[in-house]
Amino acid sequence: MALATKISKMKKTIIITGGAGFIGSHVVRLFVNKYPDYNIVNLDALTYAGNLENLKDIQDAPNYTFVKADIVDAERMNEIFSEFKPDSIIHLAAESHVDRSIDGPGAFIDTNITGTYNMLEAARTYWTTKGSPQDFRFHHISTDEVFGSLGPTDPAFNESTPYDPHSPYS
């Protein structure tokens, strides 16, 4: 079945970036199983943190599509938006292993800043062709590291906790 035909039969299309990573694969699996009428597109560059073995149990699901692509590639992101016509983005793709940032901070800038910018720009451009931004959702999920560290008696983080990131550079 052609991809466009497969997508047209689905009610909505959700692109999940970083969907082959540890957390992303759980999100992809949840959405594929919970929303069988939605087309779930897993977009992942398959770097050291991505592993399609995490998704072996759903790889043949009729509402699941994997696309190997890097969010740093702005042109490819625009192509993906045009091809899949998403209703929502769940943006999980990120470099998040702080210890790795010491040896290679460039990858963090490329993925976390440039890649996220590319996703936002592709979404903004897509909005203008889709017609109404209020029908489109972009969810950017970050790690708990943006909140800093908890001490043994500190309360758990919540939605109103102020950002207080720490890194070896601060």
Side-chain angles (χ1 to χ4, degrees), residues 71-115:
I71 63 172
V72 174
D73 184 346
E75 184 176 328
R76 183 69 178 120
M77 292 308 102
N78 286 320
E79 291 169 359
I80 289 168
F81 273 73
S82 290
E83 180 179 354
F84 289 99
K85 300 175 180 24
D87 298 280
S88 298
I89 302 296
I90 300 175
H91 178 45
L92 298 164
E95 296 289 339
S96 61
H97 296 95
V98 175
D99 294 345
R100 292 177 57 92
S101 70
I102 297 167
D103 293 329
F108 284 70
I109 291 167
D110 290 344
T111 301
N112 298 358
I113 297 171
T114 304

Side-chain angles (χ1 to χ4, degrees), residues 10 18 30 52 57 61 67 75 80 83-84 91 105 121 123 133 143-144 146 159 161 163:
M10 301 294 173
L30 172 73
L52 289 178
D57 59 318
V67 176
E75 184 176 328
I80 289 168
E83 180 179 354
F84 289 99
H91 178 45
E121 278 298 298
T143 69
D144 65 341
V146 299
E159 291 82 5
T161 302
Y163 283 3

Side-chain angles (χ1 to χ4, degrees), residues 13-73:
T13 296
I14 300 171
I15 295 176
I16 301 173
T17 68
F22 176 73
I23 293 171
S25 62
H26 290 282
V27 173
V28 167
R29 184 177 300 100
L30 172 73
F31 274 69
V32 166
N33 291 320
K34 188 170 182 174
Y35 303 104
D37 292 337
Y38 289 18
N39 184 50
I40 307 303
V41 178
N42 174 8
L43 190 156
D44 199 294
L46 294 181
T47 63
Y48 73 94
N51 184 351
L52 289 178
E53 288 292 315
N54 295 339
L55 298 159
K56 203 166 188 148
D57 59 318
I58 61 158
Q59 70 184 5
D60 296 321
N63 65 329
Y64 173 73
T65 304
F66 173 71
V67 176
K68 183 177 180 186
D70 191 335
I71 63 172
V72 174
D73 184 346

Side-chain angles (χ1 to χ4, degrees), residues 124-140:
R124 187 179 62 78
T125 301
Y126 177 70
W127 283 346
T128 62
T129 62
K130 186 169 172 54
S132 58
Q134 63 269 22
D135 294 333
F136 184 86
R137 296 290 178 256
F138 189 109
H139 303 278
H140 182 210

